[in-house]
Amino acid sequence: MLDGKKIVLGVTGGIAAYKAVEVASRLRQAGAEVHVIMTRAAKEFVTELTFREISGQPVASDMWAPVTHWNVAHIALANLADAFLIAPATANLLAKAAHGIADDMLTTTLLATPAPLFFAPAMNSRMYGHPATQQNIATLRSRGAHIIEPATGHLACGTDGPGRLPEPAVLVKALDDFFRPEKTLAGKNVLVTAAGTVEPIDPVRYIGNRSSGRMGYAIAAEAAARGAAVTLVSGPSSLTPPEGLKRFVPVETAAQMREAVLAVFPAIDIVIKAAAVADYRPMTVAPNKIKKDAGEITLRLEKNPDILRELGQRKQPGQILVGFAAETENLLAYAQSKLEKKNLDFIVANDVTKPGAGFNTETNLAKLIARNGTVEEFPLLSKRELAARLLDRITEKNKAEL
Ligand code: CTP
């Protein structure tokens, strides 16, 4: 959920500041863009350099440092943040934030941001339990801030009690949960096909295509995040299947994909066929490796079944079929005719000649054509973002049937 999110990580001066290094690292590994703001006291515990290296971004701390090529003025970070995480949040920081005191880069930015705030208090148990701190936490909560409760255990000051900064994974999960979309597809069975099929020529060679599976995997991940029971039928792909799937069915050929798809289809509410199915396969598969001393060879190809077309014929009321059309010319006309021929409800059309669109890219440029002829054009988006927009539309336009 954190992929592409801009997270501002505020680090204050507590012994747990070292754990914030791992928080920054995990956020970045999850795909977030991390901007760190340190207080003066935080720099007594961890160097700015550490956070700069881990986040890959300049670290902001001094209000009065000259603004360089990258605008680290507090207002810039306040505006760009999708969320703020203050970890560790000292008693002092909580007090200032609760009372609107703005006397350094972090507190000033906190006052200026409209982004959701997450505070992870960490301090000595008595300081944490002090009515002043508790009241400050209650004030922040009443304004909508999220408080990540401290863990209980051994504290650096030699005592035991509440006040430990939770493990970095817990902090990252709190943000991840926040960005998790609403379970708009709960109770729905979604079938996604992804990647290209491969059609064997002999035991070591095949006919394949350039599809990486990224678009289909992004759709499966997004549908699962929205609560759907997702079956992902995938041709060979180097990607790791997303978490939270109901079923992952790896296949190689179009015939295997057809079998896997037809087996589950009757129980499916929404089918999204992002796979690049090979239209042809060799008529015969050589039982042994073809040797080159055979000289010139001719491969005879026969047509593969059109899986989507078959689904279109079997479709029952309430089932939604979404196809993909990768084209190099006459995008809309070709896509629209596929929608009709295959009896689809939607078709996602992309012109694979456009930069950033199509195979093996992280982004895609697509149009969504509905059965009634309406066309929605999306800007260049990450495949995950596009998946989210497509699912928004597909579910919204079919609320009645869903
Ligand atoms: N598709 C399928 N089975 C096939 C071929 C394609 O299910 N044998 C699906 C793809 O998963 C995709 C859609 O059909 O969702 C469009 O595929 P495409 O190959 O572009 O369609 P064709 O009708 O084969 O069009 P053409 O070859 O004329 O471009």
Side-chain angles (χ1 to χ4, degrees):
M1 292 303 119
L2 291 164
D3 195 17
K5 294 283 184 290
K6 296 183 174 72
I7 308 294
V8 177
L9 175 62
V11 184
T12 67
I15 184 68
Y18 77 93
K19 285 194 193 170
V21 176
E22 197 186 331
V23 173
S25 163
R26 281 175 180 252
L27 287 171
R28 207 172 161 205
Q29 282 168 40
E33 185 181 303
V34 183
H35 297 270
V36 177
I37 306 181
M38 300 178 79
T39 62
R40 199 169 47 81
K43 290 200 279 186
E44 299 291 332
F45 292 91
V46 186
T47 67
E48 222 177 284
L49 179 67
T50 306
F51 280 111
R52 194 175 75 205
E53 290 303 311
I54 293 287
S55 69
Q57 301 282 351
V59 170
S61 64
D62 185 355
M63 287 279 284
W64 316 114
V67 173
T68 53
H69 67 286
W70 189 79
N71 187 0
V72 289
H74 72 94
I75 217 73
L77 291 176
N79 286 341
L80 72 74
D82 290 312
F84 260 75
L85 169 63
I86 318 301
T90 55
N92 186 44
L93 182 280
L94 294 169
K96 286 194 207 171
H99 294 277
I101 293 170
D103 65 353
D104 63 5
M105 180 67 106
L106 179 56
T107 47
T108 312
T109 315
L110 278 177
L111 263 193
T113 188
L117 308 179
F118 290 77
F119 292 92
M123 64 202 75
N124 161 284
S125 322
R126 287 220 191 95
M127 291 171 81
Y128 179 67
H130 195 285
T133 303
Q134 287 302 313
Q135 237 166 48
N136 290 333
I137 288 175
T139 303
L140 291 168
R141 262 208 183 103
S142 72
R143 286 194 211 124
H146 303 259
I147 306 293
I148 305 169
E149 298 288 338
T152 299
H154 179 72
L155 296 169
C157 50
T159 55
D160 279 283
R164 273 173 72 86
L165 187 72
E167 289 312 308
V170 174
L171 303 182
V172 173
K173 185 174 180 300
L175 285 178
D176 189 77
D177 287 348
F178 175 76
F179 287 114
R180 208 157 276 281
E182 275 182 62
K183 304 285 184 211
T184 46
L185 289 174
K188 298 295 163 207
N189 288 303
V190 173
L191 168 64
V192 182
T193 68
T197 64
V198 295
E199 309 296 332
I201 297 169
D202 70 14
V204 295
R205 303 181 179 95
Y206 59 81
I207 296 177
N209 61 62
R210 292 177 190 278
S211 174
S212 63
R214 283 198 178 87
M215 192 64 236
Y217 278 53
I219 293 170
E222 184 64 28
R226 292 174 181 219
V230 179
T231 301
L232 174 60
V233 178
S234 174
S237 167
S238 60
L239 304 173
T240 310
E243 277 177 37
L245 296 179
K246 180 180 177 196
R247 245 186 255 120
F248 177 70
V249 189
V251 297
E252 297 207 328
T253 63
Q256 289 166 359
M257 182 170 279
R258 175 178 174 274
E259 203 175 310
V261 164
L262 293 183
V264 294
F265 183 57
I268 296 292
D269 301 296
I270 304 172
V271 178
I272 305 179
K273 277 212 97 263
V277 184
D279 286 323
Y280 289 91
R281 65 175 171 233
M283 281 180 85
T284 51
V285 180
N288 295 307
K289 190 179 165 200
I290 299 169
K291 291 300 202 184
K292 60 179 161 300
D293 38 309
E296 183 179 296
I297 59 163
T298 302
L299 280 180
R300 282 178 63 79
L301 305 177
E302 63 186 344
K303 268 198 113 163
N304 264 326
D306 188 326
I307 308 167
L308 193 52
R309 197 170 187 159
E310 252 178 276
L311 297 182
Q313 286 156 359
R314 295 177 184 213
K315 189 168 76 167
Q316 296 297 313
Q319 284 187 307
I320 295 168
L321 270 192
V322 186
F324 270 71
E327 307 288 353
T328 54
E329 54 179 352
N330 298 336
L331 180 66
L332 282 181
Y334 278 150
Q336 212 132 21
S337 97
K338 276 176 197 172
L339 180 143
E340 277 156 35
K341 239 183 6 208
K342 302 190 187 197
N343 190 22
L344 309 179
D345 299 279
F346 294 94
I347 192 154
V348 183
N350 40 45
D351 179 344
V352 288
T353 61
K354 292 263 166 66
F359 304 120
N360 259 317
T361 55
E362 295 295 340
T363 54
N364 207 352
L365 190 60
K367 294 181 170 73
L368 180 68
I369 306 166
R371 201 184 175 81
N372 64 9
T374 57
V375 179
E376 181 159 353
E377 201 170 332
F378 299 105
L380 188 70
L381 294 170
S382 74
K383 287 186 170 168
R384 182 60 184 258
E385 184 62 36
L386 179 62
R389 302 271 199 105
L390 293 174
L391 286 174
D392 280 348
R393 289 288 158 272
I394 291 162
T395 43
E396 174 187 298
K397 288 205 176 125
N398 288 275
K399 258 189 194 129
E401 284 138 283
L402 280 167

